[in-house]
Amino acid sequence: MNTNVLGRTGRGRARRAAKGSTAEGAARAGLTARGVIYLLVGILALQIAFGTGNRQADRGGALAELSDKPFGAVLLWALGAGLVGMALWRLSQALFGVTGKDGHTAKKRLPAAARCVFYTFVAYSVLAFAAGSGDSGSSDRQSRDVTSRVMEMPAGQWLVGLAGVAVVIAGVVIAVQALRRNYHKKLKLGELSPRARRLVDVTGVGGGVARGLVFAAAGAFAVRSAVDYRPDEAKGLDDTLRSFAETPLGPWLLVCVAAGLVLFGVFSFALARWRRV
């Protein structure tokens, strides 16, 4: 058997694995892990809104909260494994295409590659924390540090500003897609009972709008940081959430956004159950 045949056989096996039960299990584990993080961040933000929280409402705070629970170490390792599954699933999409119409186009595969990189970083940070070789970190400090380093580069101010605009646009798109219920295209709608469909729509719309609002606000702070040339004005997730309590609506806006993040966590669990992979 020549090398070309072996190569085609190997690629065929890899493609079947990427679209088989292994990839499906990785996807569902990853979506569940994402749901856990959003659920915990939302709960921490609610505690801040009501003046009872003493942890940051971001991934670091969520990991610290989880580590304090019974069997916390086991939960952290399981969370990290789920995020590894998410990264591998996104990698398979980038290599072999996404399920659905135009799934093999660059328009669909490039975002999958970007998500793979993102979830690889997130999975590494969670596993490092579980192993005791890393700390939970602060999204606010990380955001300021990254912004400061980028601004020191040639045209760094423009790069930060453009990145902020891109995040604002992404937030608006996320919210609009949630309102239009675009997630229906990814679901096995035939398997949903009327009650389950109501649950999916309430969590999908409410959670998606809240998530989009957080993205848009974080991007707006990055744009302001670039315009003012002040890296300290860039905000991570925790500071972005706290800023909602500083609006004329006071802590009640933060309550609404935090509740929306909790809903998005539940929505991720629903995707883990009913998403087409």
Side-chain angles (χ1 to χ4, degrees), residues 38-246:
Y38 270 98
L39 185 66
L40 290 174
V41 169
I43 291 173
L44 291 172
L46 282 172
Q47 292 175 351
I48 291 171
F50 290 115
T52 60
N54 56 5
R55 280 198 167 122
Q56 292 188 323
D58 56 15
R59 185 173 67 249
L63 295 181
E65 185 74 13
L66 201 59
S67 68
D68 287 343
K69 304 300 180 186
F71 306 104
V74 175
L75 294 173
L76 286 171
W77 282 108
L79 185 67
L83 292 167
V84 169
M86 177 72 95
L88 291 174
W89 173 45
R90 296 303 189 184
L91 176 62
S92 72
Q93 289 183 321
L95 293 176
F96 304 113
V98 180
T99 301
K101 185 180 179 182
D102 301 327
H104 291 278
T105 62
K107 180 182 177 181
K108 297 293 182 70
R109 295 169 71 169
L110 288 176
R115 292 186 181 105
C116 173
V117 173
F118 172 76
Y119 282 109
T120 297
F121 170 77
V122 175
Y124 171 80
S125 67
V126 172
L127 291 173
F129 182 79
S133 59
D135 56 46
S136 57
S138 164
S139 62
D140 303 320
R141 185 181 67 249
Q142 292 169 356
S143 179
R144 290 191 292 269
D145 289 347
V146 170
T147 302
S148 179
R149 286 196 293 270
V150 173
M151 280 192 176
E152 292 173 358
M153 299 167 56
Q157 190 174 3
W158 283 99
L159 290 174
V160 171
L162 290 173
V165 170
V167 174
V168 170
I169 293 172
V172 173
V173 170
I174 288 170
V176 170
Q177 288 181 338
L179 288 169
R180 295 177 62 183
R181 294 173 170 81
N182 285 13
Y183 52 81
H184 280 183
K185 302 173 185 176
K186 303 176 182 178
L187 292 171
K188 301 175 182 177
L189 292 177
E191 296 184 7
L192 271 68
S193 66
R195 185 176 179 180
R197 185 158 179 168
R198 284 194 297 272
L199 171 67
V200 168
D201 281 339
V202 168
T203 58
V205 174
V209 170
R211 184 171 176 242
L213 183 59
V214 172
F215 268 70
F221 284 123
V223 172
R224 189 177 74 176
S225 171
V227 171
D228 296 343
Y229 201 77
R230 293 186 58 183
D232 58 307
E233 290 183 355
K235 296 182 184 294
L237 179 56
D238 179 70
D239 270 353
T240 299
L241 288 170
R242 291 175 189 269
S243 68
F244 289 116
E246 299 169 2

Side-chain angles (χ1 to χ4, degrees), residues 240-277:
T240 299
L241 288 170
R242 291 175 189 269
S243 68
F244 289 116
E246 299 169 2
T247 65
L249 294 176
W252 291 109
L253 180 56
L254 176 55
V255 169
C256 292
V257 174
L261 295 181
V262 171
L263 289 177
F264 189 78
V266 177
F267 176 67
S268 290
F269 298 150
L271 285 180
R273 171 64 178 85
W274 290 297
R275 195 189 196 283
R276 288 187 290 108
V277 178

